[in-house]
Amino acid sequence: MEDFLNQLNDSQREAVTYIDGPALVIAGAGSGKTRVLTCKIAYLLQQGLPPQSILALTFTNKAAKEMKERIATLAGPSEARRLWMGTFHSIFARILRKEAESLGYPANFSIYDSDDSKSLLKTIIKELSLDDKLYRPNFVHNRISHAKNALITWRAYEQNKELVEHDINTRVPLIRDIYKQYQSRCFQAGAMDFDDLLLQTNILFRDHPAVLDKYRSFFRYILVDEYQDTNFAQHLIVRRLAELHQHICVVGDDAQSIYSFRGANIDNILNFKDQYTNCRIFKLERNYRSTQNIVNAANSLIRKNREQIHKQIYSENEKGNKLFLSSTYSDYEEAHLIASRIAEMRLGKEQYSYTDFAVLYRVNAQSRLLEEALRKRNIPYRIYGGLSFYHRKEVKDLIAYLRMIVNPHDEEALKRIINYPTRGIGDTTLNKILAAATQQNTSPWNVVKDPAAYPIQLNTAANRKIETFRQMMEDFIEQNTQLQADEMAAYVLKRTGIVNELMQERSVEATSRIENMEELLKGISEYIHLRREEGEGEVTLAGFLSEVSLLTDQDNDKDENANKVTLLTVHASKGLEFKNVFVAGLEEDLFPSSLSKDSPSAVEEERRLFYVAITRAEENCTLTYAQSRFRNGKTNICSPSRFLADLDMQYVDTPRSGYTFEPRLKPPTPPAATATVTTTVTAPATDASSLKIGATVQHDRFGTGVVLGLEGTGGNAKVTVMFENFGQKQLLLKYARLTIL
């Protein structure tokens, strides 16, 4: 035991050995939080506390498994197995199974996942004859989920004037009826959904004092990990269980509270000391992960937040390199700058492997350009906690439409889109079409074009819906002969109503899907312009799809230990660490998000998110922003993130002296776009007579370069430029967008 404690620093040891009352452990980034939690449990066991009387709550199964393994090493496998340790949902499900009879549920109740819940909601919406474009299952599921996590039952919901009026004003007045029906059907089926595991545990403890007293006596010590991420329901359960004995220790970091969109409430950790008598606060302020410059830069940033528990994080590691801050002319150049810098650092004296690099971004749509830049340099990568851009459902859905426009006999494309968005062509009808096509040795599209010519029995309603789909697709095929590829994709989005349907969901997930589809439009637009610039002839939708098919044929290696660069959102990076971190897209309205503008608390959460990003880095942290970026259907001139001005510049290096956080005086010429349709417009031809070998030029995608050569005349004139981040390129002057500097 003595050796065990000697492995801890003074602050960690104090936090571990205090077990006489409530304790709040503020664990800064990289301060050994997991070690303190596991050591504290081991210490409790060494003090004679039975393992089954210790309740330890985590947010992920991975965290619980890791802690159990460490405790098994410290205290023995049999002790570790008897602990009540796991996620909030797994522990409360265990309690509910024991006490199900008190709530009228069977002990073997089913647990519905989100797909089960949405399927049931879809059935109820249909049975109530409601418009499924207004009462979309995803949207309704989100509303019910938020209500449950706020401990609002269906009875409380229908009696809450504010909620009812909100639903009336947003044209979904029958949410309360759906919620009632949904809960009734779940109960009849002997099922709870994921949110019920929190709601029903609260109801159990509220309505059955004897049950609450039993568990209060049973759990003699409670530990909670990542307390800053708890929502109201989780906080209330923990408080009820610890209310009498107050043997509770919560661990977390208010500076890393970044999940309010999931219901997390930072006040739970900020106000913890006021809710428990004689609460002691322990601060783990030594960062074992990062260099001094990274820690000091992160401190200078988070110091600007008003809502926080004061602490001074420090590092005793080497001073290390300063953060590197770089501005690029466009998001396209930004991606290639990052790829270039990774390639350079790999060849340095440190001998980094690809696994030593991570690229963090605010929204998923940013990954497309990064993926393409890495591919062009043959740098292997993996998407952490998400799909590669071209594997995302919404992107595959839109590409399926485009595939069928180019080749209407593409069976897989037809199967994917014939009922997306929902148009009433169900599986029964689709299966009849496929069966008839197989029987007659033809494509499903031929059957769709003329169902009467094939042995297929469809009712009048089904025939009408198929006819509507046929007319739409034939219109698309005709329009493809007149529109550019990017215009065609934008037309598909508008005509099918995909974007409008997603907008009605009013959810973070739907917004992300829209952004990803807009990013695909941008990709098509860039494909057209770059192929023209490089002197190719006709640029077609078929050509783009051919290129995409190669991109999506990437090796899907699931091995997390594979030697690959990691791409991930900042939210997904929490709890991880890498030797070298790149944070891309540090611009106003992206990071911080435009949705946070009008709320000081939301801006503070965005700042905490940036703090999380910086503190993932062990040795090097590179920050980048672009002066133009395609977002929300158009190319925007960007301003640097306000958070860059929060950084103390003594800890930051920039590529040029006299650096200021202002866009360049001459803004880039954006590719023409509108909010709904992205089109490529030919830029005015660059005057060959004004170009000279050795001249420095600016390109809106490739950035700064030097002219190496000129050849040809008139429409065939070409210029060869050596670009800083892209190497040598030869461009047609009539399409090249060059500014002489």
Side-chain angles (χ1 to χ4, degrees):
M1 188 60 201
E2 187 176 342
D3 291 338
F4 169 73
L5 291 175
N6 285 338
Q7 295 176 9
L8 306 173
N9 66 34
D10 292 344
S11 298
Q12 292 173 333
R13 193 179 303 109
E14 285 184 28
V16 165
T17 57
Y18 179 73
I19 59 174
D20 297 327
L24 170 61
V25 180
I26 300 298
S31 64
K33 168 179 69 69
T34 303
R35 170 181 283 190
V36 167
L37 269 172
T38 53
C39 289
K40 193 173 187 75
I41 293 171
Y43 183 76
L44 288 167
L45 294 172
Q46 290 289 332
Q47 299 307 301
L49 210 64
Q52 64 271 19
S53 69
I54 298 173
L55 172 63
L57 298 166
T58 67
F59 272 84
T60 66
N61 289 307
K62 181 181 178 182
K65 181 181 177 184
E66 180 183 344
M67 287 169 60
K68 273 189 178 179
E69 288 172 351
R70 293 194 189 185
I71 292 164
T73 302
L74 295 173
S78 63
E79 298 283 272
R81 280 195 298 268
R82 292 161 60 200
L83 293 166
W84 278 66
M85 174 182 286
T87 64
F88 280 88
H89 291 88
S90 66
I91 293 294
F92 298 154
R94 187 174 168 186
I95 291 174
L96 286 169
R97 291 206 185 279
K98 289 178 175 291
E99 309 298 338
E101 187 178 339
S102 298
L103 297 169
Y105 283 85
N108 62 341
F109 62 82
S110 300
I111 298 176
Y112 280 178
D113 63 17
S114 61
D115 288 339
D116 295 322
S117 297
K118 290 171 189 175
S119 177
L120 175 55
L121 286 168
K122 185 176 181 180
T123 299
I124 293 170
I125 290 164
K126 184 177 181 180
E127 289 174 353
L128 293 175
S129 301
L130 298 175
D131 185 347
D132 60 5
K133 291 184 173 57
L134 285 176
Y135 293 93
R136 288 189 49 76
N138 277 348
F139 167 69
V140 176
H141 182 255
N142 285 337
R143 289 286 288 170
I144 293 174
S145 177
H146 285 305
K148 288 185 177 182
N149 283 313
L151 302 184
I152 300 172
T153 63
W154 69 263
R155 287 187 178 86
Y157 195 105
E158 68 178 7
Q159 294 170 8
N160 187 306
K161 291 183 179 180
E162 185 178 342
L163 289 174
V164 171
E165 287 178 5
H166 177 271
D167 289 343
I168 291 171
N169 292 335
T170 53
R171 299 168 56 213
V172 284
L174 297 181
I175 291 286
R176 56 182 174 178
D177 293 341
I178 299 173
Y179 187 3
K180 179 180 179 180
Q181 284 284 330
Y182 173 74
Q183 282 304 105
S184 175
R185 296 279 277 273
C186 285
F187 187 77
Q188 290 170 12
M192 295 188 194
D193 66 19
F194 213 57
D195 299 308
D196 278 326
L197 299 178
L198 300 179
L199 174 63
Q200 296 297 337
T201 302
N202 270 292
I203 292 173
L204 176 70
F205 290 161
R206 182 196 68 190
D207 296 347
H208 302 275
V211 175
L212 174 59
D213 287 341
K214 179 172 73 173
Y215 286 98
R216 277 175 173 169
S217 301
F218 187 72
F219 296 129
R220 293 167 56 186
Y221 208 99
I222 300 171
L223 301 99
V224 186
D225 190 17
E226 303 286 12
Y227 197 68
Q228 77 280 351
D229 295 335
T230 53
N231 61 27
F232 178 64
Q234 291 161 331
H235 162 75
L236 189 57
I237 293 170
V238 170
R239 186 173 178 184
R240 279 178 167 147
L241 287 172
E243 203 165 21
L244 296 182
H245 58 66
Q246 300 209 350
H247 289 151
I248 179 172
C249 174
V250 302
V251 182
D253 184 6
D254 56 292
Q256 297 185 66
S257 179
I258 58 174
Y259 293 122
S260 66
F261 67 94
R262 295 181 187 169
N265 186 352
I266 191 175
D267 289 339
N268 290 347
I269 194 167
L270 294 177
N271 300 332
F272 182 85
K273 65 181 185 302
D274 300 323
Q275 296 175 353
Y276 290 89
T277 307
N278 301 320
C279 174
R280 283 192 60 181
I281 299 176
F282 300 90
K283 296 180 182 178
L284 308 184
E285 297 175 307
R286 180 179 174 183
N287 182 307
Y288 287 88
R289 175 187 303 152
S290 308
T291 62
Q292 293 179 28
N293 273 320
I294 291 173
V295 170
N296 290 338
N299 284 345
S300 69
L301 168 76
I302 203 63
R303 197 174 292 128
K304 304 300 190 298
N305 269 14
R306 297 182 62 183
E307 286 190 333
Q308 62 174 296
I309 297 171
H310 176 74
K311 50 194 167 297
Q312 184 60 41
I313 308 301
Y314 68 95
S315 171
E316 294 184 3
N317 296 341
E318 63 180 348
K319 188 173 183 180
N321 296 324
K322 295 182 179 181
L323 277 67
F324 185 77
L325 174 61
S326 184
S327 164
T328 59
Y329 207 62
S330 68
D331 50 353
Y332 190 83
E333 185 189 4
E334 177 190 48
H336 285 267
L337 168 72
I338 290 171
S340 175
R341 190 161 169 83
I342 290 173
E344 290 172 6
M345 293 174 72
R346 273 260 301 161
L347 299 176
K349 61 181 181 180
E350 293 85 359
Q351 296 292 299
Y352 291 122
S353 63
Y354 287 123
T355 53
D356 294 327
F357 295 90
V359 185
L360 277 53
Y361 36 83
R362 181 63 183 83
V363 297
N364 280 312
Q366 288 174 259
S367 80
R368 183 187 66 84
L369 287 177
L370 293 164
E371 291 182 61
E372 291 180 3
L374 293 172
R375 283 194 194 97
K376 287 181 180 178
R377 286 189 173 267
N378 293 318
I379 296 174
Y381 68 87
R382 68 185 182 107
I383 304 290
Y384 181 91
L387 296 171
S388 173
F389 181 84
Y390 289 103
H391 283 83
R392 291 175 183 140
K393 179 187 179 301
E394 59 274 16
V395 174
K396 292 181 74 172
D397 288 336
L398 180 51
I399 286 177
Y401 270 103
L402 304 182
R403 281 169 48 189
M404 195 169 170
I405 290 168
V406 170
N407 174 19
H409 302 291
D410 185 329
E411 179 176 333
E412 292 304 311
L414 181 141
K415 285 161 64 177
R416 189 174 187 97
I417 67 173
I418 194 168
N419 199 37
Y420 179 77
T422 304
R423 51 177 64 92
I425 302 175
D427 289 343
T428 300
T429 301
L430 175 59
N431 290 334
K432 287 181 179 180
I433 292 171
L434 296 174
T438 301
Q439 184 179 341
Q440 297 296 312
N441 197 28
T442 188
S443 73
W445 173 244
N446 286 334
V447 179
V448 167
K449 285 198 300 181
D450 188 11
Y454 295 89
I456 177 173
Q457 299 297 319
L458 298 175
N459 59 36
T460 303
N463 273 313
R464 186 174 63 252
K465 291 165 184 172
I466 290 173
E467 174 64 9
T468 301
F469 174 72
R470 179 193 66 77
Q471 290 176 356
M472 179 184 70
M473 291 308 306
E474 288 185 339
D475 174 49
F476 287 161
I477 293 167
E478 173 62 23
Q479 291 294 330
N480 190 41
T481 64
Q482 305 172 34
L483 300 176
Q484 289 187 163
D486 54 348
E487 292 173 325
M488 189 66 239
Y491 182 70
V492 168
L493 281 180
K494 183 177 180 180
R495 173 82 192 273
T496 58
I498 293 173
V499 171
N500 288 338
E501 187 172 271
L502 286 170
M503 288 177 67
Q504 290 176 12
E505 286 189 25
R506 306 178 185 91
S507 69
V508 174
E509 293 82 2
T511 300
S512 178
R513 292 190 185 103
I514 293 170
E515 289 176 343
N516 287 336
M517 286 187 287
E518 289 172 342
E519 184 70 10
L520 178 60
L521 298 189
K522 178 191 175 187
I524 301 173
S525 180
E526 286 178 346
Y527 169 83
I528 294 169
H529 184 75
L530 291 176
R531 294 301 172 274
R532 285 178 174 170
E533 227 178 12
E534 292 171 356
E536 288 195 11
E538 184 180 3
V539 184
T540 64
L541 180 60
F544 172 77
L545 292 173
S546 177
E547 183 162 297
V548 166
S549 69
L550 296 175
L551 294 178
T552 56
D553 193 28
Q554 189 182 350
D555 178 22
N556 290 321
D557 185 3
K558 302 284 186 183
D559 184 4
E560 292 189 4
N561 297 318
N563 188 22
K564 298 179 180 180
V565 174
T566 301
L567 303 183
L568 69 171
T569 63
V570 184
H571 278 102
S573 76
K574 188 168 172 290
L576 303 178
E577 56 188 38
F578 305 90
K579 289 183 178 178
N580 306 294
V581 168
F582 293 79
V583 188
L586 283 160
E587 300 132 31
E588 283 295 301
D589 294 337
L590 179 56
F591 203 170
S593 164
S594 59
L595 300 176
S596 69
K597 272 183 173 181
D598 301 326
S599 169
S601 63
V603 170
E604 292 212 346
E605 177 158 330
E606 291 282 308
R607 187 179 284 111
R608 293 194 294 269
L609 191 60
F610 185 28
Y611 175 84
V612 166
I614 293 173
T615 55
R616 299 310 93 197
E618 297 175 8
E619 298 177 11
N620 294 289
C621 183
T622 300
L623 313 176
T624 65
Y625 73 90
Q627 296 181 46
S628 67
R629 181 177 299 275
F630 183 93
R631 292 200 75 221
N632 302 322
K634 60 183 179 180
T635 298
N636 299 291
I637 304 304
C638 306
S639 299
S641 169
R642 69 189 72 183
F643 298 151
L644 295 176
D646 291 339
L647 293 169
D648 188 331
M649 294 306 292
Q650 67 175 306
Y651 306 118
V652 181
D653 262 338
T654 59
R656 62 187 186 276
S657 58
Y659 186 85
T660 58
F661 297 116
E662 295 295 335
R664 297 174 186 176
L665 295 177
K666 182 176 178 57
T669 303
T674 68
T676 55
V677 179
T678 305
T679 59
T680 302
V681 177
T682 303
T686 305
D687 184 2
S689 64
S690 62
L691 280 176
K692 296 180 180 179
I693 293 176
T696 301
V697 294
Q698 182 77 50
H699 187 277
D700 67 350
R701 287 187 179 85
F702 302 139
T704 305
V706 176
V707 176
L708 299 183
L710 295 161
E711 63 180 81
T713 59
N716 294 320
K718 297 179 181 179
V719 58
T720 302
V721 183
M722 177 62 76
F723 290 101
E724 182 178 349
N725 294 315
F726 292 84
Q728 184 172 309
K729 286 191 175 289
Q730 188 176 67
L731 308 173
L732 281 173
L733 274 177
K734 68 178 179 179
Y735 290 119
R737 300 170 182 167
L738 297 176
T739 302
I740 302 173
L741 301 179

